[in-house]
């Protein structure tokens, strides 16, 4: 059981990428007051935890019933992430409101999905809790690992506040452009991996 927990911890840490989430959170929340940043961080972690735990419970059932493959989720997520990255790089919105616009909650997108609970993280929890391979007790261990990583992610996101104080608004603007370029590259990578372009190149 200990080996299972360690394996799940390493796998989920890599797929969830808490450090990358902190960088994205610091960039997107630079214009928000401190109290609002904490609220956004809490909501993002809460939503992504529900998504990942829900994937453990009913992920395989829902995907099978709707005949949706995880590769389709990966392509869709990559396309949406690429469009969002373009907005960050070119700064289509010159003046941002102090609070998120209605229907554009950054705690939901892109923080909860696809930054924390992305297609790769959902795929990981589904595979690590395969009903045909793992027992209920093993799946419970995986669920506990998910909660632990989410707690660490939330703690790291709270540390984004001193980071913002150090880099300032100009530093945050530069970081936003760089992060946008990285997100664009990640989006292309997700799509290429899903459609198998990498295999053709290699």
């Amino acid at each position: 059981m200990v080996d299972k927990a360690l394996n799940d911890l390493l796998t989920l840490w890599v797929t969830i990428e808490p450090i990358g989430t902190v960088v994205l959170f610091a960039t997107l929340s630079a214009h928000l007051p401190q109290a609002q940043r904490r609220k956004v961080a809490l909501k993002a972690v809460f939503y992504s935890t529900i998504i990942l735990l829900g994937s453990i419970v009913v992920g395989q059932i829902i995907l099978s019933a709707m005949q949706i493959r995880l590769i389709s989720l990966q392509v869709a997520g990559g396309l949406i992430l690429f469009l969002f990255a373009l907005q960050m790089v070119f700064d289509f919105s010159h003046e941002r409101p102090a609070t998120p616009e209605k229907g554009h909650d950054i705690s939901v997108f892109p923080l909860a999905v696809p930054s924390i609970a992305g297609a790769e993280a959902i795929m990981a929890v589904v595979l690590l809790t395969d009903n045909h391979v793992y027992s209920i007790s093993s799946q419970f261990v995986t669920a506990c690992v998910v909660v632990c990583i989410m707690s660490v992610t939330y703690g790291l996101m709270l540390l984004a506040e001193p980071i913002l104080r150090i880099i300032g608004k100009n530093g945050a603007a530069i970081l936003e452009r760089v992060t946008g370029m990285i997100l664009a590259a990640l989006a292309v990578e997700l799509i290429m991996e899903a459609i198998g372009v990498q295999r053709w190149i290699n």
Side-chain angles (χ1 to χ4, degrees):
M1 202 64 76
V2 175
D3 292 338
K4 166 67 172 172
L6 291 176
N7 178 72
D8 290 357
L9 178 63
L10 294 175
T11 302
L12 293 175
W13 181 272
V14 171
T15 54
I16 294 174
E17 294 183 299
I19 303 300
T21 298
V22 171
V23 175
L24 180 61
F25 172 74
T27 302
L28 297 178
S29 63
H31 63 289
L32 299 177
Q34 179 177 350
Q36 186 67 19
R37 287 200 299 270
R38 290 178 177 270
K39 183 178 179 180
V40 168
L42 181 60
K43 289 171 62 178
V45 170
F46 175 77
Y47 292 148
S48 55
T49 301
I50 295 300
I51 292 172
L52 293 179
L53 293 181
S55 299
I56 293 177
V57 177
V58 296
Q60 294 176 336
I61 298 175
I62 293 178
L63 292 178
S64 298
M66 299 182 65
Q67 297 182 343
I68 297 176
R69 295 178 297 173
L70 286 172
I71 188 174
S72 300
L73 293 178
Q74 186 169 340
V75 172
L79 291 174
I80 296 174
L81 186 60
F82 183 76
L83 294 176
F84 184 82
L86 290 181
Q87 180 179 347
M88 293 178 64
V89 172
F90 295 105
D91 192 18
F92 294 144
S93 176
H94 297 288
E95 291 189 7
R96 298 181 177 179
T99 57
E101 297 179 4
K102 184 177 180 181
H104 295 81
D105 192 345
I106 62 173
S107 63
V108 177
F109 178 86
L111 290 176
V113 180
S115 179
I116 302 176
E120 63 277 10
I122 295 175
M123 179 173 61
V125 296
V126 171
L127 293 177
L128 293 173
T129 56
D130 190 338
N131 296 327
H132 302 291
V133 179
Y134 301 104
S135 63
I136 297 298
S137 58
S138 296
Q139 296 181 33
F140 178 76
V141 170
T142 303
C144 291
V145 171
V146 170
V147 173
C148 290
I149 295 180
M150 290 296 101
S151 300
V152 172
T153 301
Y154 177 66
L156 292 176
M157 291 172 74
L158 295 182
L159 294 178
E161 296 177 17
I163 295 176
L164 290 175
R165 287 197 296 267
I166 294 174
I167 65 177
K169 292 185 178 180
N170 291 332
I174 295 174
L175 183 59
E176 180 176 11
R177 303 303 188 279
V178 174
T179 304
M181 294 178 62
I182 295 175
L183 286 179
L186 174 61
V188 173
E189 188 72 18
L190 290 174
I191 297 173
M192 290 176 59
E193 180 181 351
I195 64 179
V197 173
Q198 288 182 332
R199 287 181 298 178
W200 301 341
I201 296 177
N202 295 332

